[in-house]
Amino acid sequence: MPPTEQWPDLLLDRPEFQYPDYLNVAVELTDRIVEHGMGDRIALIGNGRQRTYKELSDWSNRIARALVEDYGVVPGARVLIRSGNNPAFVAAWLGATKAGAVVVNTMPMLRAVELAKVVDTAEIALALCDSRIADELVACAKESRFLKKVVCFDGTSSHDAELDRVALGKPVRFNAVKTGRDDVALLGFTSGTTGEAKATMHFHRDLLIIADGYAREVLNVGPDDVVVGSPPLAFTFGLGGLAIFPLRFGAAAALLENASPPNLIELIQTHKATICFTAPTAYRVMLAAANDGADLSSLRIAVSAGETLPAPIFDEWTRKVGKPILDGIGATEMLHIFISNRLGDAAAGATGRPVTGYGAKVVDDNMNEAPDGTPGRLAVRGPTGCRYLNGSRQTQYVRDGWNLTGDAFVRDAEGRFHFASRTDDIILSAGYNIAGPEVEAALLLHADVAECCVIGVPDVERGQIVEAHVVLRPGVAADAECVRRLQDHVKSTIAPFKYPRSIRFHDSLPKTATGKVQRFKLKEGH
């Protein structure tokens, strides 16, 4: 934990953010809902089954017992979970949280080398993994000095894996660990622009704050809502939108392991979903489907985040679907959305105004507030904020009590914030944050590559795509086969979504007198 003088100012005085000294967020999202008489309501839909709140409470209690009694989990132990979006992932996360663990959720697309960075940073000894995708995690464990055991669970509805068999033999009651409201419950990993895994620490109270703030105020989530979306539960955007928000208010979450736009549309139509979380890229595809007859009428709100929502998509969605589409911006460091458009107060091309409880301003490099209409760095503070685990970047992200998100924004005269660019040149592609240096490192592992530089370039469908500028070793042909070879190599080395969709070959890269690649020259012409 960084020293308290390096923390951002935390604005916790609002009545909705007053919590008891001892609080376990997993209990609040399951057992407490059952106590309120909603045990028979549907909590989770996925992989062909529907789970009630009573079933989810019992399931997560059994997992918690198994983790404590059979796998030695103690309060504060870090437990990694690796799975696609399915009910078993949610149950494992809740069970580990009830057991007092600090949970680290990871995406199924990550390879062993990427998982190793997470394991080493958080010093993780136990991992829970969907049995269908265990290979990369097992490979990571074989080389790791920290990861001692990988326990598999069944991500389908069959309950046929080790953790399931152990848990099914346990009683359905469990006295959850008496965690403090400001005990760490979750480590959210972000690579930023460096490619180095950085963990952001979030307390039990933080996970409730994003529901009791944004989800209640902006979305008005209630028991009759059915929530769908594409972001991985391993992202805080996905964990909030597809697990914390619906479970906090007795709603249902319909989960998809492959949340492609066509699959999302089918899910919306089948379960009459009312709230959808995805990126602008997917909304563009969904609009085209709506033109061909897809029925999206059950939606009352579409939430767009991950990259800025282009004004034409906002206008077309509002006109053709006839339901609000709300742009918003969040950050792993802040946990979830802190600036958003609202029902009745949404404008094309604007990200919106601060969520109640948060303050935002546009500043220059000296933290002086910029006049309206002038681009500058976005500074935010509120009830959540950045705390890096062993973070050398803490003082770069937090200055004078404000969180500097790495985004350039403009505030207009009406107080709305408009996205301008990323100040750190991170590549935002179809809602994913991609660090250029990480892709460069993967390319440089290939024998054909002598030098490379990776940038983000504009793309109509994805917002940006990853473009690699490559100098090949002597004798290697710069042809289409080489492009495919390098793309396949990146896909097999790191998460496939990070691969360069465009590769350009050069005899040399433009550099300064000190040898630094001049990225701006590579971006010229785009």
Side-chain angles (χ1 to χ4, degrees):
M1 191 77 75
T4 52
E5 62 267 21
Q6 293 181 8
W7 290 23
D9 295 338
L10 295 175
L11 311 181
L12 295 164
D13 55 343
R14 295 187 63 82
E16 60 265 41
F17 303 146
Q18 305 306 307
Y19 301 105
D21 291 342
Y22 294 97
L23 173 79
N24 189 296
V25 64
V27 173
E28 299 301 316
L29 300 180
T30 55
D31 307 53
R32 201 73 69 220
I33 304 298
V34 175
E35 290 173 9
H36 291 163
M38 293 190 285
D40 292 334
R41 295 191 67 89
I42 300 300
L44 299 176
I45 302 166
N47 282 344
R49 285 190 61 174
Q50 297 186 346
R51 314 278 185 161
T52 67
Y53 275 91
K54 179 63 166 65
E55 288 175 313
L56 181 59
S57 177
D58 293 352
W59 190 5
S60 55
N61 283 340
R62 283 173 159 159
I63 289 173
R65 274 191 175 272
L67 293 176
V68 172
E69 296 173 2
D70 292 73
Y71 300 106
V73 170
V74 297
R78 271 80 69 199
V79 173
L80 183 146
I81 301 177
R82 171 178 164 82
S83 175
N85 284 13
N86 56 52
F89 188 151
V90 177
W93 165 61
L94 292 167
T97 303
K98 287 180 175 180
V102 176
V103 180
V104 181
N105 294 322
T106 60
M107 287 193 301
M109 288 185 286
L110 297 186
R111 305 298 192 191
V113 64
E114 296 159 309
L115 290 165
K117 294 177 182 178
V118 171
V119 167
D120 290 350
T121 300
E123 299 184 5
I124 295 166
L126 173 67
L128 311 178
C129 187
D130 187 323
S131 57
R132 297 169 294 169
I133 55 169
D135 289 355
E136 293 286 339
L137 194 54
V138 170
C140 170
K142 286 179 180 177
E143 302 294 328
S144 176
R145 63 192 179 101
F146 294 110
L147 187 53
K148 305 303 180 188
K149 190 166 184 63
V150 176
V151 180
C152 287
F153 60 84
D154 190 340
T156 74
S157 56
S158 301
H159 295 295
D160 188 21
E162 179 183 344
L163 181 62
D164 305 279
R165 291 190 288 269
V166 174
L168 283 170
K170 301 295 183 184
V172 297
R173 300 190 67 83
F174 176 75
N175 292 323
V177 170
K178 192 178 178 182
T179 45
R181 64 187 177 192
D182 55 358
D183 283 342
V184 178
L186 181 76
L187 293 180
F189 271 80
T190 177
S191 61
T193 55
T194 64
E196 292 300 314
K198 298 186 296 295
T200 63
M201 294 183 273
H202 302 292
F203 299 157
H204 284 261
R205 72 171 181 225
D206 297 336
L207 303 189
L208 291 184
I209 282 171
I210 61 173
D212 295 342
Y214 167 77
R216 190 193 304 270
E217 181 214 349
V218 177
L219 306 181
N220 192 27
V221 179
D224 294 331
D225 280 310
V226 178
V227 179
V228 300
S230 65
L233 288 165
F235 286 0
T236 55
F237 178 42
L239 187 70
L242 302 179
I244 296 171
F245 296 171
L247 297 182
R248 179 59 167 167
F249 300 107
L255 302 174
L256 273 173
E257 292 181 334
N258 177 13
S260 64
N263 289 348
L264 264 181
I265 291 167
E266 182 180 355
L267 199 68
I268 291 166
Q269 294 178 151
T270 300
H271 297 288
K272 306 300 180 189
T274 58
I275 304 175
C276 180
F277 293 85
T278 190
T281 310
Y283 285 122
R284 186 189 297 272
V285 177
M286 292 165 72
L287 273 170
N291 291 336
D292 294 334
D295 182 7
L296 304 175
S297 62
S298 65
L299 289 178
R300 64 179 185 85
I301 300 174
V303 177
S304 179
E307 57 189 276
T308 191
L309 178 67
I313 299 180
F314 175 95
D315 289 333
E316 189 178 357
W317 182 275
T318 305
R319 185 174 65 255
K320 291 185 177 177
V321 180
K323 300 295 178 67
I325 184 167
L326 303 181
D327 196 9
I329 181 173
T332 306
E333 288 84 354
M334 302 293 292
L335 189 54
H336 214 273
I337 291 173
F338 49 81
I339 293 177
S340 178
N341 278 301
R342 289 166 169 78
L343 299 177
D345 183 30
T351 306
R353 310 177 200 271
V355 172
T356 299
Y358 290 86
K361 61 182 181 179
V362 177
V363 300
D364 62 19
D365 290 341
N366 296 315
M367 293 299 291
N368 299 310
E369 192 160 1
D372 287 346
T374 304
R377 305 174 73 182
L378 181 65
V380 186
R381 63 181 180 181
T384 61
C386 177
R387 292 174 296 263
Y388 283 128
L389 173 69
N390 299 328
S392 60
R393 290 190 69 252
Q394 180 72 19
T395 54
Q396 294 173 255
Y397 200 95
V398 177
R399 286 184 60 186
D400 300 342
W402 293 80
N403 301 273
L404 295 172
T405 65
D407 301 282
F409 265 75
V410 176
R411 188 179 64 189
D412 65 24
E414 296 179 331
R416 289 193 180 94
F417 287 78
H418 301 253
F419 177 80
S421 67
R422 286 288 294 185
T423 58
D424 54 10
D425 281 337
I426 199 163
I427 302 166
L428 288 172
S429 182
Y432 289 106
N433 288 5
I434 302 171
E438 186 178 19
V439 184
E440 290 167 3
L443 282 167
L444 288 169
L445 290 173
H446 197 283
D448 291 348
V449 177
E451 280 189 286
C452 67
C453 178
V454 168
I455 62 172
V457 299
D459 179 75
V460 172
E461 294 297 323
R462 308 180 72 84
Q464 284 184 307
I465 60 169
V466 176
E467 181 173 271
H469 293 257
V470 175
V471 177
L472 295 170
R473 295 193 182 278
V476 179
D479 54 16
E481 175 56 33
C482 184
V483 169
R484 285 193 294 272
R485 195 162 60 241
L486 295 181
Q487 289 174 329
D488 289 344
H489 166 75
V490 173
K491 290 178 185 178
S492 66
T493 304
I494 57 178
F497 69 84
K498 300 174 184 177
Y499 86 95
R501 293 173 182 270
S502 170
I503 294 181
R504 296 189 176 191
F505 297 111
H506 303 265
D507 294 330
S508 62
L509 297 177
K511 296 176 182 176
T512 66
T514 58
K516 185 175 181 179
V517 176
Q518 295 172 307
R519 294 173 183 268
F520 71 91
K521 289 192 175 181
L522 297 176
K523 293 179 180 180
E524 290 174 354
H526 286 291

